Structure formats: structure tokens, C-alpha cells
Amino acid sequence: MPLLEPKPEALRPDAVRTPSVDRVPDRQAPGTPEPLRAELIALLGPEKVLWKVSDLVKYASDASPYRFLPQVVVVPQDIDDVSAILSYAHGRGREVVFRAAGTSLNGQAQGEDILVDVRHHWAGIEVLDDGAQARIRPGTTVVRANAALARHGRLLGPDPASAIACTIGGVVANNASGMTAGTTRNSYRTVSSLTFVLPSGTVVDTGGPAADEALAHAEPELCEGLLALKAEIEADPELTARIRAKYEIKNTNGYRLDAFLDGATPVQILRGLMVGSEGTFGFISEVVFDTLPLDRRISTALLFFPSLTAAAAAVPRFNEAGAIAVELMDGNTLRASVSVKGVPADWAELPKETAALLVEFRAPDESGQEAYERAAAAVVEGLDLVAPVPSVTNAFTREAKVISGYWKARKAFVTAVGGSRPSGTTLITEDFAVPPSRLAEACEALLGLQAEHGFDAAVAGHAAHGNLHFLLAFDAAKPSDVDRYAAFMDDFCRLTVERFDGSLKAEHATGRNIAPFLELEWGPKATDLMWRTKQIIDPDGVLAPRIVLDRDPKAHLRGLKTIPEVEAIADPCIECGFCEPTCPSHDLTTSPRQRIVLRREMLRQPDGSPVETQLLDAYGYDAVDTCAGDSTCKLACPVGIDTGAMMKDFRHRRHSPREERVAALTAKNFKAVEAAARLAVAAAGRIGDGPLETITALARRAVRPDLVPEWLPEIPGAAARKLPRTSRVGASAVYYPACVNRIFGGPEGHRGPSLPQAVVAVSARAGKPVWIPDDVAGTCCATIWHSKGYDEGNAVMANRIVEAAWGWTAGGKLPLVVDASSCTLGITHEVVPYLTDDNRELHRELTIVDSLVWAADELLPELTVLRKTGSAVLHPTCSMQHLDDVEQLRTVAEACAEEVVIPDDAGCCAFAGDRGMLHKELTASATAKEAAEVKSREYDAYLSANRMCEIGMDRATGQQYYSVLMELERATRPGPAVR
């Protein structure tokens, strides 16, 4: 064991605990039992089998209120692996559940036996026929698919609010629809063909020319059974009419029985049945969608009403006017949305009775947009709108930023309201539909029912389609609360079916919590057909038992998860999973949601239990060490949960007092440390990569991998010992070269100016000279200490840099330009909590400007571009996302290159200062998709604006990244220009 390996006990929760009723029992501490573990490893290989109890726990939770611990998690790479898993399950009498993003709200992504992760190796999109169609793999997020289609002026029909995280496999398997899809743009209507694996292992491509012939040969009994059911349904006019009527409004409860009416052959019937089957009929490995036009002329309004019923009553009028979306939000939803960045703070003062409609029109051209706006104005004129707080305008707008803010508030419904629920309560999300003409009546009935059962619920929904969502919070650890929820569900389901003939699930699919009520909605005849369909396709019941179909009338009360109180920064988490796609480590170890899920399980356990011990042993590397600390999870989370900050706090907890003292001493003597580091980098160039790799590898084994960086061949040479000469007199700004740019030089072989030289030159060229203070050496943005959780060292450097910056800028009279985005972020935001009261006042007087903003907003308008490179690919860093200056990166790059590309899969590189040298596997995993996209073609320039991130991308792509400001200097330099 390394000398300074931290003790897992340092992360043991301090809270006094009462063991939870749903804790993982001690007998499961060893993880996957034998012989299951050994047999699957022999079948698939050790890298595809996750068996530790920490693996099982982190997959036991999803966005639903349920929690079921799988026996094992497997991660197949291809269809052969999936077929092998299904064959194994058949032979051993085991059960299989497929899980992709885990954003489902009804527990359909959870299993109690073999859980199959079909996200990790199943992403990809191929655009067909100039965007008219798209072939998409199931692990691809909706946002990623639409990004590829947008270049062709197309998009997918389904548009769920979880598009940032949910994947195509789940969207199709649940027939998820969203804001605009309704009954005409959902997966059932827009899927052209599917490729899927049946429970028997048979692979079916419904788009193949001989698909029916192949299926008849491989599965004759299945084909006969499907055709027999089709004939039976068509021979019953009353049943046929009932089925057609059920799909006139949104409905995802049960199986799509209209597939028997719409499909003429077994393959066509299966294509329809697979949509909305929730993984109970097979594994969808590929989907071909018919896409829709992307109408870019948008007019949107957020209109406020005195009550929910008044808002609902206005919906039909906007439908008649041609609105593509009419979204409803009640007062609780609006008030909870203030936790979402960009939402007006005065919404917190809205009266509880207030409601709002988010109304949107989309047109392909100006004339169409104007016509819609006239129709909308006519509707608004006849409404009694209210403006309870100053920010309310009740006006239509074309402004993209305002529209984006409205939609962000609406899409945050579940997470924002759920995040504001009482601590320790479980969140239930219900989703139902009624005929749109009866929406106002349904709202009034729902409010009365909630009040009757003591729930102060939030309501929102796709009002244009009669589709409402509401949230309930209760404590699953209290039997009385569970009983109250059960009584509400009984009454709610009867109300929806008997009074409104509605759908108990409009778009979230049956899952576990509506399965007991399936027959209530469909009646015995149709429900029996669903059971028989399942028997024909999956006669051994291998796939997803108790999901969709369950004869237990209390099935929806089984497996409800308790929510122990964890660290305050993470406690609002509802485990929605929105954070996962943006997390650099989600394909390597854990995601932010899983870090929180694991923490909650520790708190369910009695102190010192075998399960807690195993979780703590794994948590150090899986959660703490491999967190990049980039906090992009905070940006993705609608309520801004910063799991990265929590991991930094855990790093601090693991430090010994001696380590904290050493870190503080390093900060106090950073001038000498900086000089020594530059000399060491210079010496490394003479020693060579091989010996340094050997030396650092030995040191890492002896000391601790998370303390000693590994030497990487991509590390550049040393920066010049002296910075460019500048004058304070006449300076337009103070230029602060970050310490990484004072230590490390530019790309190998670069013959042009260094980054500090380029910034000085291009600023002077624009008539806005900058001044570099003589005493910048020994100062730093403090990110070095902040990212590692060294609080004392962080405080030393945070106060030093603010005091120095205040002096350099003459008390804030000049802006401070910083040439590395992570350092700009550090000085602007991250140092603030560590400042003294006096220095916090000084900080308020500073104007800190990222070099990208300086170049785009101040320099470019004054510069003449003399030459452009052909093509440039950009790497926007996570700090740029936090600073909201990715567009400035693009602007500067577009001034320098004829073609500028930001990869669709661009994300945090996870190099994170030196974390990519401490855990190079983290950067390799984080950059894999972006690197593959970059390497698919050649570019003339590879640009970013953060030296350590550039090194990470060098390693990932084999190319040489450098600052876009160096390219700007070259593009505007008089005379010949060399790189």
C-alpha cells in the first residue's frame, strides 16, 4: 500500500443514523453471488461484468420513486453480447432488465436480477437522405441526435423535457413524447424501422426486404400467434373501436394494441408493439426515424392567469390558433422554478393560485410567423391575464434568450419542484391525459383530490394535448404516509378513468406504479390481450417481469425508496440523471447521481455495517479521486446541485493536518515553487520522456497515485523565463498571465509568439495595450488548492490574488484580463468563499475579463484580419461553459478560419489542472467521443483557451491544440505569418 493512502473511514458519515427498512442487507455486501458472477465473467469477460456491491447500489436507483438492487450489472458491447445474455438467462431461468439513461419515472429501468446497461457502448447517429431520416443507436441522447440533425434543418418528433439526458432507446421503449409531439409526432408515428433482439435471441430488422420471411423461418409460432391475435381483434368491432378511441388522446398505458390494426404482417405488428413496450418484448439496438422540419421562426409568450382552471380554459383557443406547444404551470411550479438559473427572482412572490401558459408558435418563414403572431394577439386580447409581479410581461417575444429561459423553467418542473420538497421525502411523478376539451374540469378535480388527501402538489403539463403532470412528496419510511399515497392513487385512477375516460399514463409509460391499474383503464378483454401478447413474444417471462403487467394490486407500493438526508449541497437531488451525460467520469466510474446514490446508501446502513465498509472502500477512487471537479453537473442540474464541490469537500476531509500544512506552505512560497516547476519542465526536455515516466510511476506506487502526477509525453516544454515587457502608462487593461502559461510553453515546434506575447501584440495592434505587472510571479488563481480540497492553502492564495489584483488595477479602475478560462473562473467566482470580509469588498470592485471576451468584444472590432486558415476545430472548456463565453470562442475562431467546427460530443476533458496526470484513464474516458469525432477528419488548426485542457486534448487526439488568441495574432499580423 502507498505510504500516504487515505483511510476510507475519513469519509464515513457523521450523522446519527437509524438503519432504513430498505437498506441493502449485510448478506449482499460481497456483491454478485456465485456462480452467477463467475458464469457471466466466463461468458462476457471481466470488463463487462460489474459485481461489487457499490456497482449494484449505484444502478439500483433511477429517476423513479423505486429502488431495486440487481444481482449483477452487465455492460454488453454489441448484439452478440446481448444475445448471449438472453440465452444465458433462458438457460438458467433468470430475469433481464435493460437500462439506458435511467431517467424513467416509473421504475421500468430497474431489475432484481440481471440488469443490462445499454448506454455505455450504444451511442451513435447516422444522418440519412440529407436529414429526412436518421439511424440512431439506443444510447444516444435526444439532444445529441438533434444536434446532428439541426445542420440539415431537421429534428426528431419526440421532445421530452429530459432530452439532455434521456436516450433514444428509452424514448422509443416508453413512447415518450414531450412538449410538442402529441399523438402525431411521437415515436409510434415517426419510427420508420427498428432493429431489435427478441427474448429468444432472434435479431429482427423491420426495414429489411426479407424481414417477414426471415422471422417466419426463425419464429414460426410467434408469427402465427401475432396473426391470430390480429384476426381476433379485427373480428370484434366494439374492441376495435375502443382501441382506436384510446389513442385519440395521448396514451402509453399498456401495450400498443393498435399495432395489430396498423400492421399487416408479423414484422409490422412487432414494429408497433416494440414502441412503448418498456423493454418487456426485446432489446432495441437501432432505430430509423422519419424526421421533421426544424422551423426556426419562433414566437413565444409566458402568459399569467389568476387560476389553474382559467389557464386551462384558454388552451383550446391557442390550439385553434395553431400553437405547436401550450404548456401549463401552476403556482407551486412557478415559485419553485426560482431555483433555476435565469428565472426571475420575483416569481417567488407569485400568489399560490396563479398559473401560467407557455405558448409557442413555430413557422418556416417570416410571413408564417407574422400570421401566427396576429392569430395569437387576437386570442390574448380576449383573455383576462394578470401581472402579479414586475417581471411578468404577458407578451410574445422572438428573443431567443428569453424563450430559452421560459423553456428552462418549464423543463425543470420535476427537478425544481422535487428539489424544493421537504428533506427525506420521496418524490412521485404522475402523468395522465384527458380529452383537451375537459382539461379545465380535470384540473379542478385534481386540485380537490390533492387537498382531500393532504397533498400540496405541483401541476404542469402539455396542456395542448390534455396531458397533465403532478408531483407528490411523502416519506416512504412512514407507513402512514405510504397508506395516504395508496389511498390517493386509488381515488386518482378511478377519477381519471370513470369520470374522464382518460389515460393513466400519457407519456411516461406504465412502469411499476400504474401496472396494478391497467385493467381498470383498459377492461378485462383488452388487458387479457396484453397478457397473451407478452406470452407469445416472451413465453418464459425473461424480460422485465412486473413492469407493465402485474397482478399484484399493491405492486406500486413495493420497493418505494427512502431518501436519507445527506450533505446539504446534494440533499435536494431527486436522482433524475440530468447530470450524467455531462460528467467526465460517467463512463469510467461514477456519475454525480451515482455519487449521491452511494452516499445515501451509506446513510441507510447502521454504522460499521459490512455494506457500508464495502461502499467506503470503493468510494475513494470511484467517486472522489475520479471526479474532475469541473462542476458541469451544476450546469446540467436544474436546481444547480454541485456534486463536484461535494467531492472537493471529501478530498479535504481525507487530508491529514500535515498535508494541509504542506499545501499552505506551498501557497505561501509559490514564487519559489513556480520557478522550480519551470526549471523542472525545462530539465525534463533534456532528460527525455522515458526516464521521467519510469521515475514518476515508481513514485506514484510508493507515495500515492492521487498525489504524484505521472509524466506524460504530451507535456510541453518550459515557458520563457521572462514575460513580455509592457508599460502601465496608457494601458487599457491589466493582463494576468496564468501560472500555467508562465510555467508551460506552447506546442512543440511552434515558431510564432508565445501566448503572453500574442496577447500583448494583438492588444496593442487593436489600440488597447495591456500591462503585465512585474510581480505576477508567485500569484495564482488558487484553483490548484481549491480543486484538491486544501482549504488553508486555498485561502492563502485566494486572498493574495485578490489583494494583488486590486492593487494592479488601481482599485478596479482597469479590467483584469486573464488568459486561461479556468483561472478566470477561479478569480471571478471560486475564490470568493475563502476571502476575508475586507478582501470580499475589494473583490466586488474588480472587473475580471476572460481573454476570449477581451478578444471578441474589445479587440476584434478594431482589428483587420489579413489571413485565415482553412478549418479549425474548437475545444470549449468546462470553465467557458461556466463563464458563458463559448460563443466568444467561436467568434474569435470564425475571424481566423474559413470553417469552424465545435464537435457535437465536445465536453469536459477532465484534465482538470493535473488530474489528467494523476488519473490519465479519466481523461481518456472523458475525451473518447470528442476525440473520435475530431480524428474523423483533418483540420488546419486545433484551438481552445486553456493550456492544461489543450494538453489533455493533445493526448486524446494526437494533435496540437493551442490558444485561439495565438491564432488571432497570426491572422492579424502584418507581413508574413508563421505558426
Side-chain angles (χ1 to χ4, degrees), residues 19-45:
S20 299
V21 293
D22 61 338
R23 68 186 181 276
V24 176
D26 291 351
R27 68 176 182 278
Q28 293 185 282
T32 300
E34 298 291 4
L36 178 61
R37 172 181 159 192
E39 289 175 349
L40 284 173
I41 288 175
L43 180 69
L44 301 170

mmCIF file of all heavy atoms in Angstrom, residues 19-45:
data_model
loop_
_atom_site.group_PDB
_atom_site.id
_atom_site.type_symbol
_atom_site.label_atom_id
_atom_site.label_comp_id
_atom_site.label_asym_id
_atom_site.label_seq_id
_atom_site.Cartn_x
_atom_site.Cartn_y
_atom_site.Cartn_z
ATOM 1 N N PRO A 19 -31.000 2.698 11.018
ATOM 2 C CA PRO A 19 -30.989 1.871 9.805
ATOM 3 C C PRO A 19 -32.339 1.899 9.098
ATOM 4 O O PRO A 19 -33.394 1.802 9.727
ATOM 5 C CB PRO A 19 -30.650 0.475 10.338
ATOM 6 C CG PRO A 19 -29.906 0.735 11.619
ATOM 7 C CD PRO A 19 -30.524 1.963 12.199
ATOM 8 N N SER A 20 -32.310 2.058 7.769
ATOM 9 C CA SER A 20 -33.537 2.156 6.976
ATOM 10 C C SER A 20 -34.100 0.778 6.676
ATOM 11 O O SER A 20 -33.349 -0.207 6.554
ATOM 12 C CB SER A 20 -33.262 2.893 5.663
ATOM 13 O OG SER A 20 -32.802 4.195 5.903
ATOM 14 N N VAL A 21 -35.398 0.732 6.509
ATOM 15 C CA VAL A 21 -36.057 -0.539 6.217
ATOM 16 C C VAL A 21 -35.650 -1.076 4.850
ATOM 17 O O VAL A 21 -35.688 -2.292 4.623
ATOM 18 C CB VAL A 21 -37.589 -0.382 6.267
ATOM 19 C CG1 VAL A 21 -38.044 -0.098 7.681
ATOM 20 C CG2 VAL A 21 -38.066 0.721 5.319
ATOM 21 N N ASP A 22 -35.240 -0.189 3.938
ATOM 22 C CA ASP A 22 -34.886 -0.641 2.590
ATOM 23 C C ASP A 22 -33.374 -0.668 2.367
ATOM 24 O O ASP A 22 -32.915 -0.662 1.231
ATOM 25 C CB ASP A 22 -35.548 0.253 1.533
ATOM 26 C CG ASP A 22 -35.096 1.701 1.630
ATOM 27 O OD1 ASP A 22 -34.628 2.116 2.712
ATOM 28 O OD2 ASP A 22 -35.213 2.431 0.620
ATOM 29 N N ARG A 23 -32.590 -0.704 3.458
ATOM 30 C CA ARG A 23 -31.137 -0.767 3.293
ATOM 31 C C ARG A 23 -30.739 -2.086 2.630
ATOM 32 O O ARG A 23 -31.452 -3.098 2.724
ATOM 33 C CB ARG A 23 -30.445 -0.641 4.644
ATOM 34 C CG ARG A 23 -30.656 -1.820 5.574
ATOM 35 C CD ARG A 23 -30.052 -1.559 6.949
ATOM 36 N NE ARG A 23 -30.216 -2.690 7.854
ATOM 37 C CZ ARG A 23 -31.299 -2.931 8.580
ATOM 38 N NH1 ARG A 23 -32.339 -2.116 8.495
ATOM 39 N NH2 ARG A 23 -31.359 -3.977 9.371
ATOM 40 N N VAL A 24 -29.593 -2.080 1.972
ATOM 41 C CA VAL A 24 -29.054 -3.308 1.404
ATOM 42 C C VAL A 24 -28.640 -4.217 2.555
ATOM 43 O O VAL A 24 -27.885 -3.792 3.436
ATOM 44 C CB VAL A 24 -27.848 -3.012 0.489
ATOM 45 C CG1 VAL A 24 -27.229 -4.303 -0.030
ATOM 46 C CG2 VAL A 24 -28.264 -2.118 -0.674
ATOM 47 N N PRO A 25 -29.125 -5.450 2.586
ATOM 48 C CA PRO A 25 -28.811 -6.332 3.724
ATOM 49 C C PRO A 25 -27.346 -6.761 3.737
ATOM 50 O O PRO A 25 -26.679 -6.789 2.701
ATOM 51 C CB PRO A 25 -29.736 -7.533 3.503
ATOM 52 C CG PRO A 25 -30.084 -7.510 2.057
ATOM 53 C CD PRO A 25 -30.072 -6.071 1.639
ATOM 54 N N ASP A 26 -26.868 -7.118 4.914
ATOM 55 C CA ASP A 26 -25.455 -7.497 5.083
ATOM 56 C C ASP A 26 -25.052 -8.644 4.160
ATOM 57 O O ASP A 26 -23.916 -8.691 3.681
ATOM 58 C CB ASP A 26 -25.197 -7.916 6.539
ATOM 59 C CG ASP A 26 -25.278 -6.748 7.509
ATOM 60 O OD1 ASP A 26 -25.362 -5.600 7.039
ATOM 61 O OD2 ASP A 26 -25.261 -6.989 8.736
ATOM 62 N N ARG A 27 -25.971 -9.560 3.908
ATOM 63 C CA ARG A 27 -25.601 -10.733 3.104
ATOM 64 C C ARG A 27 -25.193 -10.359 1.678
ATOM 65 O O ARG A 27 -24.562 -11.156 0.975
ATOM 66 C CB ARG A 27 -26.765 -11.725 3.067
ATOM 67 C CG ARG A 27 -27.987 -11.241 2.310
ATOM 68 C CD ARG A 27 -29.086 -12.302 2.226
ATOM 69 N NE ARG A 27 -30.228 -11.858 1.455
ATOM 70 C CZ ARG A 27 -31.213 -11.096 1.920
ATOM 71 N NH1 ARG A 27 -31.200 -10.725 3.198
ATOM 72 N NH2 ARG A 27 -32.209 -10.719 1.137
ATOM 73 N N GLN A 28 -25.545 -9.126 1.242
ATOM 74 C CA GLN A 28 -25.210 -8.719 -0.123
ATOM 75 C C GLN A 28 -23.941 -7.876 -0.187
ATOM 76 O O GLN A 28 -23.584 -7.392 -1.250
ATOM 77 C CB GLN A 28 -26.389 -7.977 -0.756
ATOM 78 C CG GLN A 28 -27.582 -8.909 -0.985
ATOM 79 C CD GLN A 28 -28.726 -8.237 -1.728
ATOM 80 O OE1 GLN A 28 -29.475 -7.476 -1.136
ATOM 81 N NE2 GLN A 28 -28.841 -8.512 -3.006
ATOM 82 N N ALA A 29 -23.263 -7.738 0.945
ATOM 83 C CA ALA A 29 -22.010 -6.977 0.967
ATOM 84 C C ALA A 29 -20.955 -7.534 0.007
ATOM 85 O O ALA A 29 -20.203 -6.762 -0.598
ATOM 86 C CB ALA A 29 -21.456 -6.911 2.388
ATOM 87 N N PRO A 30 -20.865 -8.854 -0.186
ATOM 88 C CA PRO A 30 -19.851 -9.365 -1.142
ATOM 89 C C PRO A 30 -20.180 -9.069 -2.602
ATOM 90 O O PRO A 30 -19.359 -9.340 -3.478
ATOM 91 C CB PRO A 30 -19.852 -10.881 -0.879
ATOM 92 C CG PRO A 30 -20.476 -11.054 0.464
ATOM 93 C CD PRO A 30 -21.475 -9.957 0.585
ATOM 94 N N GLY A 31 -21.372 -8.566 -2.882
ATOM 95 C CA GLY A 31 -21.731 -8.265 -4.264
ATOM 96 C C GLY A 31 -22.428 -9.433 -4.938
ATOM 97 O O GLY A 31 -23.166 -10.193 -4.301
ATOM 98 N N THR A 32 -22.207 -9.579 -6.223
ATOM 99 C CA THR A 32 -22.873 -10.617 -7.008
ATOM 100 C C THR A 32 -22.528 -12.000 -6.481
ATOM 101 O O THR A 32 -21.342 -12.333 -6.316
ATOM 102 C CB THR A 32 -22.456 -10.512 -8.483
ATOM 103 O OG1 THR A 32 -22.836 -9.221 -8.974
ATOM 104 C CG2 THR A 32 -23.118 -11.587 -9.328
ATOM 105 N N PRO A 33 -23.520 -12.830 -6.212
ATOM 106 C CA PRO A 33 -23.232 -14.173 -5.682
ATOM 107 C C PRO A 33 -22.683 -15.106 -6.763
ATOM 108 O O PRO A 33 -22.848 -14.867 -7.961
ATOM 109 C CB PRO A 33 -24.607 -14.645 -5.201
ATOM 110 C CG PRO A 33 -25.587 -13.915 -6.078
ATOM 111 C CD PRO A 33 -24.972 -12.572 -6.345
ATOM 112 N N GLU A 34 -22.038 -16.136 -6.308
ATOM 113 C CA GLU A 34 -21.612 -17.221 -7.201
ATOM 114 C C GLU A 34 -22.741 -18.246 -7.289
ATOM 115 O O GLU A 34 -23.540 -18.362 -6.361
ATOM 116 C CB GLU A 34 -20.328 -17.881 -6.664
ATOM 117 C CG GLU A 34 -19.136 -16.947 -6.571
ATOM 118 C CD GLU A 34 -18.582 -16.523 -7.921
ATOM 119 O OE1 GLU A 34 -19.173 -16.895 -8.968
ATOM 120 O OE2 GLU A 34 -17.570 -15.812 -7.926
ATOM 121 N N PRO A 35 -22.875 -18.957 -8.403
ATOM 122 C CA PRO A 35 -21.981 -18.948 -9.560
ATOM 123 C C PRO A 35 -22.325 -17.893 -10.595
ATOM 124 O O PRO A 35 -21.711 -17.859 -11.658
ATOM 125 C CB PRO A 35 -22.187 -20.351 -10.133
ATOM 126 C CG PRO A 35 -23.642 -20.638 -9.858
ATOM 127 C CD PRO A 35 -23.927 -20.013 -8.525
ATOM 128 N N LEU A 36 -23.312 -17.033 -10.319
ATOM 129 C CA LEU A 36 -23.743 -16.034 -11.306
ATOM 130 C C LEU A 36 -22.574 -15.181 -11.776
ATOM 131 O O LEU A 36 -22.382 -14.973 -12.986
ATOM 132 C CB LEU A 36 -24.834 -15.154 -10.692
ATOM 133 C CG LEU A 36 -25.380 -14.015 -11.571
ATOM 134 C CD1 LEU A 36 -26.015 -14.556 -12.835
ATOM 135 C CD2 LEU A 36 -26.377 -13.171 -10.779
ATOM 136 N N ARG A 37 -21.783 -14.696 -10.822
ATOM 137 C CA ARG A 37 -20.661 -13.821 -11.176
ATOM 138 C C ARG A 37 -19.661 -14.535 -12.075
ATOM 139 O O ARG A 37 -19.295 -14.022 -13.151
ATOM 140 C CB ARG A 37 -19.986 -13.344 -9.899
ATOM 141 C CG ARG A 37 -18.700 -12.575 -10.099
ATOM 142 C CD ARG A 37 -18.129 -12.197 -8.737
ATOM 143 N NE ARG A 37 -16.722 -11.897 -8.799
ATOM 144 C CZ ARG A 37 -15.938 -11.761 -7.728
ATOM 145 N NH1 ARG A 37 -16.455 -11.932 -6.514
ATOM 146 N NH2 ARG A 37 -14.665 -11.473 -7.863
ATOM 147 N N ALA A 38 -19.230 -15.719 -11.684
ATOM 148 C CA ALA A 38 -18.219 -16.440 -12.460
ATOM 149 C C ALA A 38 -18.742 -16.836 -13.835
ATOM 150 O O ALA A 38 -18.013 -16.758 -14.835
ATOM 151 C CB ALA A 38 -17.764 -17.686 -11.690
ATOM 152 N N GLU A 39 -19.983 -17.233 -13.906
ATOM 153 C CA GLU A 39 -20.542 -17.662 -15.193
ATOM 154 C C GLU A 39 -20.648 -16.498 -16.173
ATOM 155 O O GLU A 39 -20.339 -16.645 -17.360
ATOM 156 C CB GLU A 39 -21.918 -18.292 -14.965
ATOM 157 C CG GLU A 39 -21.843 -19.652 -14.275
ATOM 158 C CD GLU A 39 -23.206 -20.227 -13.937
ATOM 159 O OE1 GLU A 39 -24.212 -19.491 -14.036
ATOM 160 O OE2 GLU A 39 -23.264 -21.407 -13.541
ATOM 161 N N LEU A 40 -21.054 -15.335 -15.693
ATOM 162 C CA LEU A 40 -21.160 -14.195 -16.601
ATOM 163 C C LEU A 40 -19.789 -13.663 -17.010
ATOM 164 O O LEU A 40 -19.594 -13.211 -18.142
ATOM 165 C CB LEU A 40 -21.992 -13.090 -15.950
ATOM 166 C CG LEU A 40 -23.499 -13.355 -15.930
ATOM 167 C CD1 LEU A 40 -24.216 -12.290 -15.114
ATOM 168 C CD2 LEU A 40 -24.064 -13.420 -17.344
ATOM 169 N N ILE A 41 -18.835 -13.712 -16.093
ATOM 170 C CA ILE A 41 -17.468 -13.317 -16.457
ATOM 171 C C ILE A 41 -16.914 -14.257 -17.527
ATOM 172 O O ILE A 41 -16.284 -13.824 -18.495
ATOM 173 C CB ILE A 41 -16.560 -13.290 -15.214
ATOM 174 C CG1 ILE A 41 -16.934 -12.090 -14.329
ATOM 175 C CG2 ILE A 41 -15.088 -13.234 -15.606
ATOM 176 C CD1 ILE A 41 -16.197 -12.025 -13.010
ATOM 177 N N ALA A 42 -17.168 -15.542 -17.377
ATOM 178 C CA ALA A 42 -16.716 -16.509 -18.384
ATOM 179 C C ALA A 42 -17.408 -16.275 -19.726
ATOM 180 O O ALA A 42 -16.807 -16.447 -20.787
ATOM 181 C CB ALA A 42 -16.980 -17.930 -17.894
ATOM 182 N N LEU A 43 -18.658 -15.852 -19.671
ATOM 183 C CA LEU A 43 -19.437 -15.636 -20.892
ATOM 184 C C LEU A 43 -19.053 -14.350 -21.611
ATOM 185 O O LEU A 43 -18.918 -14.331 -22.844
ATOM 186 C CB LEU A 43 -20.930 -15.587 -20.535
ATOM 187 C CG LEU A 43 -21.921 -15.373 -21.683
ATOM 188 C CD1 LEU A 43 -21.967 -16.603 -22.574
ATOM 189 C CD2 LEU A 43 -23.306 -15.068 -21.114
ATOM 190 N N LEU A 44 -18.849 -13.265 -20.842
ATOM 191 C CA LEU A 44 -18.686 -11.941 -21.451
ATOM 192 C C LEU A 44 -17.297 -11.341 -21.291
ATOM 193 O O LEU A 44 -16.910 -10.454 -22.061
ATOM 194 C CB LEU A 44 -19.702 -10.967 -20.837
ATOM 195 C CG LEU A 44 -21.181 -11.331 -20.982
ATOM 196 C CD1 LEU A 44 -22.032 -10.403 -20.125
ATOM 197 C CD2 LEU A 44 -21.609 -11.260 -22.437
ATOM 198 N N GLY A 45 -16.557 -11.783 -20.308
ATOM 199 C CA GLY A 45 -15.280 -11.169 -19.982
ATOM 200 C C GLY A 45 -15.414 -10.288 -18.754
ATOM 201 O O GLY A 45 -16.472 -9.707 -18.509
#
